[in-house]
Amino acid sequence: MKGGNHSPIGDGCIAILGAGSLGQLWAGYLPAGDVVFVPRHAPPTSQHAEALAYRLQQSDGSTVTIRVPWLPARDIQPSVLLVTTKAGDTLTALENQLPDLPSDTPVVLFQNGMGSQQAVAERWPERPILAASTTEGANRPEPGYTVHAGRGETWVGALTDNASPHLETVVQALRTSGLTIHAEQDIKRRLWDKLVVNAGINAFTAILDCPNGVILTEPFYLDHIDELCDEIVAVLRAEGSNSPTPAAIRQRIETVARGTAGNTSSMRSDRQQERTTEIDFINGYICRRGQALGIEVPVNRMLTDRVKELTR
Ligand SMILES: NC(=O)c1ccc[n+]([C@@H]2O[C@H](COP(=O)([O-])OP(=O)(O)OC[C@H]3O[C@@H](n4cnc5c(N)ncnc54)[C@H](OP(=O)(O)O)[C@@H]3O)[C@@H](O)[C@H]2O)c1
């Protein structure tokens, strides 16, 4: 144990940074006693803040009470750090915590979209940094109450060179949750696949303030979706990726929108609650890649600007 503090739970635990919906979901499924939350601000002395207690409605409808201790990064030697902050908060959150963690602690980034993962991997190229893409869904309809809204799957893969040797142990650690986890050799491709679907749904639902399925009959969506898919394909091809056709991308977007027709996207929810959205890491990421690659992406730019205006 580091720093002379003795909290046995801190050794070999699974630490979670970002005690929001997704962090509470993971903490609720991982074995009690093996998981801790890392507080944003460490207490000045070794006196730990208490624990975070909340009710978790699991995917089978049953509700359990969860208590997870808060332990400062300086007091733990976790087997893995799961990072479940929003994309825009992640670099700052890690700047605050990583100096206190051993340099060989694997770090798994759960953010949606792209851009934040690359920023972390570029900032700490020598650390084992992994990324996860998950279709699990969690939300917090009221304080102290977290709902596992949809059972999904999670893919984890290495981002930095040092991460590959940790992949299997990280996957095994996450599997102790009972959730479905896969090791993914091409995590960037999987992140792109999810980004493409989010790029075709989230901004439209936020701008139109509607559930996912409703966009499919809205003129604003119908007027822009083909051009949006053309832009995505142009960027993917310029990236050197083996891109599907624009029609295949549109079909993928619409299959997901139909399959989640009654759902509120996280971007619409952020807009409704006047929180910063992750648009910079979805359509905004496509804009940045387009600019770097010399490709015009006016629909992605328009959607990014419109969402930012709504949430300014
Ligand atoms: N929820 C899902 O179902 C789901 C599914 C797939 C992917 N994701 C992705 O997972 C990420 C998290 O989503 P979420 O829904 O869990 O968001 P969320 O509920 O807003 O949780 C984010 C948490 O991070 C905390 N945080 C922010 N800055 C921090 C810092 N510097 N240090 C420590 N903690 C900090 C926030 O605390 P405060 O509230 O105090 O600011 C909040 O508790 C997003 O990128 C999202 O796209 C979520």
Side-chain angles (χ1 to χ4, degrees):
M1 178 59 57
K2 298 187 292 176
N5 290 317
H6 298 287
S7 293
I9 192 179
D11 286 336
C13 66
I14 296 179
I16 301 180
L17 179 62
S21 302
L22 195 63
Q24 290 186 18
L25 176 79
W26 280 98
Y29 279 89
L30 287 164
D34 283 359
V35 57
V36 306
F37 281 129
V38 178
R40 185 190 298 247
H41 302 294
T45 70
S46 60
Q47 297 301 309
H48 300 142
E50 307 272 311
L52 181 67
Y54 55 96
R55 287 175 301 135
L56 174 68
Q57 183 184 309
Q58 296 183 304
S59 56
D60 62 5
S62 63
T63 301
V64 289
T65 298
I66 309 291
R67 272 182 77 81
V68 181
W70 291 105
L71 283 185
R74 63 165 188 252
D75 290 353
I76 56 177
Q77 294 204 343
S79 60
V80 55
L81 176 71
L82 311 184
V83 186
T84 51
T85 47
K86 292 267 200 180
D89 294 326
T90 299
L91 200 55
T92 305
L94 285 171
E95 292 275 6
N96 292 338
Q97 307 294 343
L98 278 191
D100 286 335
L101 286 177
S103 59
D104 60 351
T105 305
V107 176
V108 187
L109 306 171
F110 275 84
Q111 289 62 47
N112 255 345
M114 287 180 79
S116 68
Q117 302 91 339
Q118 286 84 346
V120 171
E122 281 163 22
R123 172 71 181 76
W124 293 283
E126 74 294 347
R127 280 188 176 262
I129 309 285
L130 302 94
S133 176
T134 186
T135 56
E136 301 289 353
N139 57 64
R140 288 175 293 164
E142 58 187 77
Y145 188 49
T146 301
V147 174
H148 186 189
R151 187 136 194 155
E153 297 174 76
T154 301
W155 290 264
V156 184
L159 282 182
T160 56
D161 292 343
N162 286 346
S164 298
H166 295 267
L167 180 56
E168 263 319 307
T169 25
V170 166
V171 165
Q172 293 305 334
L174 293 179
R175 280 194 182 137
T176 61
S177 64
L179 300 174
T180 305
I181 320 290
H182 309 280
E184 171 62 85
Q185 297 309 321
D186 192 354
I187 193 67
K188 283 186 190 148
R189 176 77 220 185
R190 196 164 280 280
L191 291 170
W192 256 115
D193 287 350
K194 189 169 182 201
L195 182 149
V196 164
V197 171
N198 286 337
I201 296 178
N202 291 17
F204 289 108
T205 63
I207 294 163
L208 295 167
D209 194 14
C210 67
N212 293 358
V214 171
I215 60 171
L216 298 173
T217 52
E218 284 287 331
F220 178 63
Y221 169 85
L222 295 167
D223 286 350
H224 292 107
I225 187 61
D226 283 327
E227 203 182 333
L228 181 89
C229 293
D230 289 343
E231 292 175 12
I232 291 170
V233 168
V235 170
L236 279 173
R237 290 195 175 141
E239 292 268 18
S241 283
N242 204 358
S243 172
T245 63
I249 286 184
R250 178 169 175 177
Q251 193 177 21
R252 200 185 288 173
I253 289 167
E254 298 192 349
T255 301
V256 174
R258 267 190 292 275
T260 59
N263 291 9
T264 283
S265 73
S266 55
M267 199 171 287
R268 179 187 182 211
S269 173
D270 285 340
R271 180 208 161 163
Q272 289 174 333
Q273 295 175 48
E274 296 181 351
R275 292 185 307 223
T276 305
T277 71
E278 296 189 304
I279 191 74
D280 277 336
F281 304 91
I282 301 178
N283 303 87
Y285 180 74
I286 296 172
C287 294
R288 291 198 296 285
R289 292 313 302 149
Q291 190 169 16
L293 296 161
I295 292 165
E296 297 290 326
V297 289
V299 175
N300 279 285
R301 169 64 53 213
M302 177 274 293
L303 292 173
T304 304
D305 291 346
R306 292 274 304 260
V307 169
K308 286 188 161 189
E309 275 162 29
L310 287 170
T311 52
R312 195 170 355 240

